[in-house]
Amino acid sequence: MKNFKPLALAYLILLLMKISTAGAAVVSPKIAYKVTFPEAQAHYVDVEMTVSGLKQASLDVKMPVWTPGSYLVREFAKNIESLTATANGKDVAASKTSKNTWHINTAGISTVVIKYKVYSFEVSVRTSFVDVTHGFLSTTGVFLYPKGMLAQPSTIKIIPYKDWTTVSTSLEKIGGDQFALTAPNFDILYDSPIEVGTQDVFGFDAAGVKYEVAMYGGGNYDKERLKKDMAKVIEAETAVFGENPNKHYTFIVHNRQRGGGGLEHLSSTVLGASREQYGSESGYINFLGLVAHEHFHLWNVKRLRPIVLGPFDYETENYTTNLWIAEGFTAYYQNLIRRHADLYSVESYLGDAVGDINTVENQPGTKVQPLAEASFDAWIKAYRPNENSFNTGISYYDKGAVIGMLLDLEIMNYSGGKQSLDDAMKYMYNTYYKGKKRGYTDAEFKLAFEKFAGKNLDDFYAKYINGLAPIDYNKYLGYAGYKISDQLADSNTPTLGVSASNQPTGKKIVSMVLRDGAGWKDGISVGDEIVSVDGTPVTDMTTLMNGRKVGDKITVTVSRDGKAYNLPVTLLRNNRVQYKAEELPNPTAQQLAVRKKWLKL
């Protein structure tokens, strides 16, 4: 080693000191939450947020406006009250600067404590609910995040209410303490709901993963049967993608008098169920369908996802035209998986598949709104339906499930029953989630479909995804040796073309007017009270058409805004369809191969 001159040596020491100082300056703030329930009876959760290690003049804290998986701006900040900030035991100025942002002066402050209350009294799988029986924390609506710090880890300390004994969540525990949790970043925190209370918890292993089921609200469920059948669902879904990426997974199930719905998360899900539904075979199978749907999302959308759905922007809408894949294909698989797991019969599966077709074809909006547009407009339409939504839109769940079936049959037909939509899904999962470590574009998924279908799908997309062309169902079902026929094709039943709800007073109030139906054409409106037909008081809407035929002219008297109107109406044919699946005679060897692959015979 050569000797340095004194000046050069001094310069080197100074440079090393600067590098050391610069490295020391990059110290990330620490974020910790304490959650308590001093007013659980009034449906409040109290949050104390401590941010330490600050070296900035101000801090903005924000509340997400939506929760991933539920595409609606829900304005969670509306539930926050009494927000204060303190440092060293003294109040610090905290002012609200936007609908979901609080600005805190942290000049000369290294640690700030922010306290606030969250009103939590909305029953759904997407929103928080607290009472004396339990606390369900939908984390996007509970925990503020510091602006610019979404990548920061955080800890959560839960102080349970009175006799609450158990925490169920996919978040990691600190030192084995279930009431002390940690999240590596806010995307994980916001994707990990927390159930606190006295829920009934049981577990099982499936696909090499430990599963926990947390049942709130009681119910007539059979734990041992659920363990066995939920494991079948999980194994069948894992077989689609070839791996189960979790170490552990949590099902949080809210059993109520009437319940439904689910919301997917990265390593957990929240399900809504009716507590007595497990006692009937149809109710039990329907619950397994919900399990299959939400659990399938751990791959499809949580990992294999449209490119805009992560990293998330929690302050505004995240638009995509691909919810027909993310949600629609998941709806298709929820039935297919139950069939592949041998949880219900071929006849039941075909009935459900054709039921999706009936749902799509009986909705006038299918002729108005393309499937890709239904996805893009989810933020303003899907979760905000009105009395005319049935006429103007289509569900990307229902039509997406139908499109998934068509593409599955196309791939199976091309490969002679050797490949299926499973192969396309697995290819996309491996290529984009695992390989490129990002989401996919619409064009990239289309290329994958074409790769496995062995054909260009421009026409398919133009007609069925981006257009409004009638679907040739029998072309695709024919690949498996089936066809559908309309059981109502020869009917000539008249209809008024409206739905009316019975009010407690006995009044018949119009709740929906069917596009291009008799009521639509002749001026009946939503909100009208149907008083009489041809002078006879209406007491039963179900018998209104008795003795009448298509083309009859009737006078419908309605009460509208306190005034009576006599509306001449010409009855039209009820155009409702009721398809049923049937086997084609003398199926070919290829059709039987496709059928065997599709239905796992």
Side-chain angles (χ1 to χ4, degrees), residues 330-388:
T330 303
Y332 170 61
Y333 271 102
Q334 78 181 52
N335 294 334
L336 193 66
I337 287 297
R338 286 182 294 172
R339 172 63 217 138
H340 286 187
D342 201 25
L343 290 169
Y344 70 164
S345 67
V346 169
E347 291 73 24
S348 295
Y349 170 72
L350 290 174
D352 283 345
V354 176
D356 288 335
I357 295 174
N358 287 330
T359 297
V360 169
E361 295 303 318
N362 283 318
Q363 186 161 345
T366 195
K367 299 176 182 178
V368 177
Q369 186 183 48
L371 184 55
E373 182 184 296
S375 172
F376 193 84
D377 280 349
W379 294 92
I380 58 172
K381 292 186 177 182
Y383 289 91
R384 286 181 176 144
N386 62 23
E387 67 282 350
N388 201 38

Side-chain angles (χ1 to χ4, degrees), residues 204-218:
F204 59 91
D205 292 346
V209 176
K210 291 192 174 299
Y211 282 82
E212 177 182 291
V213 182
M215 289 284 197
Y216 163 78

Side-chain angles (χ1 to χ4, degrees), residues 479-481 583 587-598 601:
Y479 293 153
E583 290 188 38
T588 66
Q590 170 136 332
Q591 287 173 323
L592 291 175
V594 169
R595 184 185 298 180
K596 181 178 180 181
K597 178 75 170 178
W598 183 32
L601 301 177

Side-chain angles (χ1 to χ4, degrees), residues 243-302:
E243 68 171 22
N244 192 318
N246 285 302
K247 294 179 183 177
H248 54 83
Y249 188 96
T250 302
F251 288 96
I252 298 172
V253 186
H254 292 154
N255 294 303
R256 298 185 179 274
Q257 184 177 4
R258 289 183 299 275
L263 187 64
E264 71 274 6
H265 297 282
L266 194 69
S267 303
S268 64
T269 186
V270 185
L271 309 179
S274 298
R275 61 173 63 97
E276 302 302 321
Q277 78 176 83
Y278 308 94
S280 71
E281 194 62 19
S282 62
Y284 180 73
I285 292 299
N286 285 340
F287 176 74
L288 291 180
L290 182 60
V291 167
H293 184 102
E294 301 305 336
H295 186 266
F296 194 82
H297 272 312
L298 79 84
W299 295 276
N300 190 30
V301 89
K302 298 314 299 184

